[in-house]
């Protein structure tokens, strides 16, 4: 039995998709190579911009113009070059055939989604790291809570963290550090006497605020105290990627762990801003 949401869809998209998005995929690469527009001079443009082999050097210049970019470029090239090529191909083709460029952009979006890789394509063909819709919603909520001059520094650090996650490969360590700095900056705006954000400082300053905020609502106060305990645990967890004794450089966290720390941190930033706004 099927319904309108499943009728006519491919079996693999219905039953084999899912799980954590991957950073690379041989199927994605081959599909991109087939979808690549046959635009004269595109292979030379990619070679000039990326500094890597992209065309059919064994053929004449006239023939190469019709065959376009070599499949080997997509299948065997570095991931950074393949993802950069999505953007370069869009802009090169847009100046010559806007409709063809639009089709390439939409093909790339569809291929990324169907092959479950962790990238999205914006309106101008730029490729970005993408986690999932839930993460994007939490991120958007945190940013919306940091509007206005009072939160300008916290917002700037938060956006820096999202850019670090958006890099290729994702810089989870840099993202965690920046999002923690955003939370700490917001915390110190709320409590100027606090020298830092640590678990003890969070208990000392936020605890009394929650008592006042939920005065007369014991259920909400108990729930908020548990949330405060979780926030303190998040602070302690994030500290592992801010300082690591015995090493000059902190090792990169597993991507799934980094995303979870960032998602929770985004929620706590929004929560802190709401507490601050309710108390003026």
């Amino acid at each position: 039995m099927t319904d309108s949401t499943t009728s006519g869809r491919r079996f693999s998209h219905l039953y084999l998709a899912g799980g954590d998005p991957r950073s690379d995929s041989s199927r994605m690469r081959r599909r991109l190579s087939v979808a690549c527009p046959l635009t004269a001079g595109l292979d030379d443009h990619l070679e000039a911009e990326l500094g890597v082999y992209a065309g059919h050097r064994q053929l004449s210049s006239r023939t190469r113009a019709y065959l376009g970019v070599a499949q080997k470029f997509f299948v065997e090239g570095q991931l950074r070059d393949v993802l950069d090529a999505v953007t370069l191909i869009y802009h090169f083709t847009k100046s010559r055939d806007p409709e063809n460029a639009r089709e390439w952009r939409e093909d790339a979006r569809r291929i990324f989604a169907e092959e479950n890789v962790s990238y999205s394509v914006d309106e101008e063909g730029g490729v970005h790291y993408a986690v999932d819709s839930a993460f994007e919603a939490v991120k958007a909520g945190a940013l919306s809570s940091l509007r206005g001059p009072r939160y300008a520094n916290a917002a700037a650090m938060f956006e820096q963290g999202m850019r670090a996650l958006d890099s290729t490969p994702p810089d989870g360590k840099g993202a965690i550090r920046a999002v923690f700095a955003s939370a700490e900056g917001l915390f110190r705006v709320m409590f100027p006497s606090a020298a830092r954000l640590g678990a003890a400082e969070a208990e000392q300053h936020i605890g009394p605020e929650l008592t006042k905020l939920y005065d007369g609502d014991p259920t909400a106060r108990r729930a908020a105290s548990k949330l405060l305990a979780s926030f303190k645990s998040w602070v302690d967890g994030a500290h592992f990627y801010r300082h690591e004794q015995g090493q000059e450089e902190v090792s990169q966290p597993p991507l799934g762990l980094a995303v979870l720390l960032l998602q929770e941190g985004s929620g706590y930033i929004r929560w802190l801003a709401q507490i601050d706004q309710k108390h003026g």
Side-chain angles (χ1 to χ4, degrees):
M1 194 72 179
T2 61
D3 57 32
S4 59
T5 62
T6 61
S7 179
R9 294 185 61 190
R10 286 162 54 181
F11 178 87
S12 62
H13 296 168
L14 283 174
Y15 303 110
L16 302 183
D20 292 335
R22 297 166 291 176
S23 62
D24 203 351
S25 162
S26 60
R27 290 176 182 266
M28 170 200 74
R29 288 168 171 264
R30 289 187 178 276
R31 292 182 67 184
L32 287 174
S33 74
V34 174
C36 181
L38 296 177
T39 306
L42 179 57
D43 52 349
D44 289 328
H45 178 67
L46 292 180
E47 291 188 24
E49 292 297 320
L50 298 174
V52 298
Y53 169 84
H56 301 78
R57 291 207 176 280
Q58 72 276 21
L59 303 177
S60 68
S61 298
R62 182 177 180 181
T63 307
R64 287 172 60 203
Y66 288 96
L67 289 181
V69 181
Q71 186 184 66
K72 183 176 181 180
F73 167 80
F74 287 99
V75 174
E76 300 180 11
Q78 293 186 33
L79 178 62
R80 56 169 286 184
D81 294 325
V82 172
L83 298 179
D84 281 351
V86 172
T87 306
L88 292 170
I89 292 168
Y90 174 79
H91 287 289
F92 186 84
T93 307
K94 183 180 179 182
S95 64
R96 293 154 177 79
D97 187 343
E99 179 59 24
N100 208 8
R102 186 195 66 79
E103 290 180 2
W104 163 249
R105 182 191 65 201
E106 296 309 310
D107 282 342
R109 283 176 171 171
R110 182 171 61 86
I111 291 168
F112 287 165
E114 291 177 355
E115 298 305 329
N116 194 30
V117 292
S118 51
Y119 308 104
S120 62
V121 184
D122 64 28
E123 288 299 307
E124 290 301 315
V127 176
H128 303 274
Y129 180 76
V131 182
D132 55 33
S133 58
F135 180 86
E136 294 300 319
V138 173
K139 181 177 75 173
L143 275 173
S144 68
S145 70
L146 295 177
R147 293 174 180 165
R150 179 172 174 82
Y151 307 124
N153 288 333
M157 292 307 302
F158 185 85
E159 290 176 337
Q160 179 179 317
M162 295 303 104
R163 286 194 298 271
L165 187 65
D166 198 28
S167 61
T168 305
D171 180 9
K173 175 180 64 178
I176 293 170
R177 286 176 165 176
V179 168
F180 183 90
S182 174
E184 185 171 54
L186 175 56
F187 180 77
R188 294 188 65 190
V189 165
M190 297 170 64
F191 310 106
S193 63
R196 62 189 290 272
L197 173 57
E201 289 80 6
E203 180 68 42
Q204 176 186 352
H205 293 283
I206 299 177
E209 291 296 317
L210 297 178
T211 299
K212 290 187 292 183
L213 184 62
Y214 301 115
D215 184 35
D217 189 343
T219 301
R221 191 164 61 247
R222 286 194 295 270
S225 70
K226 296 297 184 183
L227 186 59
L228 176 58
S230 297
F231 175 59
K232 290 159 55 180
S233 295
W234 177 82
V235 168
D236 287 339
H239 270 292
F240 286 113
Y241 290 102
R242 298 186 68 238
H243 311 286
E244 186 171 345
Q245 295 181 355
Q247 297 185 24
E248 291 185 7
E249 289 294 327
V250 181
S251 58
Q252 280 288 347
L255 185 57
L257 178 61
V259 168
L260 181 57
L261 282 167
L262 293 169
Q263 185 164 338
E264 289 194 353
S266 300
Y268 290 130
I269 286 171
R270 183 178 186 182
W271 182 54
L272 289 177
Q274 290 172 344
I275 294 172
D276 182 53
Q277 291 157 12
K278 287 180 179 178
H279 281 276

